[in-house]
Amino acid sequence: MKKNHIIAAALAILLAGCSAENTASTSENVTDTSTESVASSAETQASDADEKAPEQNSNGELLKVSSFDGKTLTGTKLDMPAMGGNGDGQGAPQGTPPDMNGDMPQKPEDNGNGGNTPPERPEGDGNNNTPPEMSDDNGNGDNTPPERPDNSDGNAPDGNPSEMSGEEVTYTVSDSADISIEISEGDMVRVVTDENGEIISIEKEELGGGMPMGQNSFGANGTDNGTAANSAQDNAALSDTAFTSSGDDENALRADNVTATLNNVTITKTGSSSNTENGDFYGMNAAFLAENGANITITGGEVTTDAVNGNGIFSYGSGTVVNVSGTKIRTSQRNSGGIQTTGGGVMNADDLDVETSGNSSAAIRSDRGGGTVTVNGGTYTTNGTGSPAIYSTADITVSDAALTANNSEGVVVEGKNSVKLENCTVSGKMQGTYNDDSENIHCIMIYQSMSGDADVGEAYFEANGGEITSLAGDMFYVTNTSCEIKLSDVKFNMADSVFLRAVGNTSSRGWGRQGENGADVKMSLASQSVSGDIVVDDISTLDLTLSSSDITGAINSDNSSGNIVLTLDENSSITLTGDSYVTEFNGDISQINAGNFHFYVNGEKLV
């Protein structure tokens, strides 16, 4: 016993020395969840010596329970390490990480080439007319909607611990053990045995999201946001500190129901993602994740990721607030947005420098459950396909910012959500990935995917001032939804002739039923000049109101019988570039400058 006390004291001295080498703010304010604490180990050794505990298999065995009668447990061995810890079986069970002072050892480098991570590939390979933010997770070309990688069968991917089995074993519970937890068939448990092979403790094992491993915690039946290499403590104030993760399904830094400030920190993330939806919806594998009502302020610093689902800064859940300013964010792989908000979270961003390179990686990104996003100033650039500068399943307001999508739409609004732009410059250059007649190319898209990730209802887009440039295709494309569009004093630069296309679609990706999936658009122009045509098909409607505004173009020049109501105030006008057809006209016919063309109202030629 004396020898063990000497060892414990020596280790405690060693710990103190390690702590002295680090800043006080880091050791006090961060829990390193990637490895066991030296202090915890020392305390355990001293305690074990005092109690003269028998020699144990201290890491335990992971079993899927077949039966348990209180005295005898039978189960199937699962060949994987304890969840949490450093990934090599030496860590504490996930959810009870030991505190760590001093330097933070990181997991071995994982280049993401193994495991269950889907290969990186261009958006929508083998698919027709793929929408924005598209990522086909299984590579099966099944017309997955934007930002919704395919995992539709509800099954866990390969590598779900509940599917990893070995030999069946039976253990007897030691007479000295006190086992009080309720255990059922199918539960995943970790058993610790003594030198006689009898159970002295049983713990239910959990995955990162806090769900028992016996449940499917991948996507369809629950949430899973993986693990975290480091966790911010409540009231932490972290400055000039580096946080790194190379672990799979792991955040480099997580803030869970805490208030903390991060000043000039560096966060780096690599490592594989086992499930794209968990990364998109819940923040698994993001560099930084705030959740469960955390209130975080980030100033300056840099966030860099090279991982699938490597979102830069992620705000998840109702009550969670992230305030970030002056931070540089770079992401490289697919499904890796710059700032991401889901589940009702709040994101407030000021003067960020964001650039993403992967497919399905919007610079300002949201997903299932939405939230509220407010952006002031900064530059937001994307380079991948299906990666608009803004993808909204939330309420997003952006002011005085530069938004550039080099291979995608500039902005996408899905479902009952909104985007409001104030004095922004927007540029979109959507690429013709499939080069077929059914693919629509556009700069701003408003639609409903029917994936369940955005409520059905009226979408909203507003732009006041600024400049919007389409470098390919239409300016606005609306399908399978109702929406309101308000434009005031915006400079529009057109690539092609169509300003607004409100039409149905082929339903090849599940966007409603063909023949019933048109668009109902209410568009208001105030102090606005527009040059471009308007196209409304026979299952769509348009209510177009001009106030001190003018349009130069043709309205439904092919007489496609869409229902169009046109209203002009006394200071507005239309200059025709082709024969035009509307259902109802409110204004004076003198306000229609027809030239050599004709203007029809409900089939009657007025000019």
Side-chain angles (χ1 to χ4, degrees), residues 455-472:
D455 289 343
V456 174
E458 185 174 87
Y460 184 83
F461 178 91
E462 180 177 347
N464 297 300
E467 185 172 359
I468 302 177
T469 300
S470 175
L471 296 174

Side-chain angles (χ1 to χ4, degrees), residues 29 67 127 130 174 196 203 225 233 248 252 256 261 272 284 308 329 355 365 386 423 430 444 466 471 572 589 591 606:
N29 297 316
S67 64
N127 205 352
T130 306
S174 170
N196 299 315
E203 292 182 351
N225 55 18
Q233 301 301 295
D248 299 346
D256 187 343
T261 60
S272 300
M284 186 174 75
V308 172
I329 301 173
E355 184 170 2
R365 192 172 188 235
N423 297 312
M430 183 177 175
I444 298 171
L471 296 174
S572 298
I589 195 64
Q591 296 173 275
L606 296 189

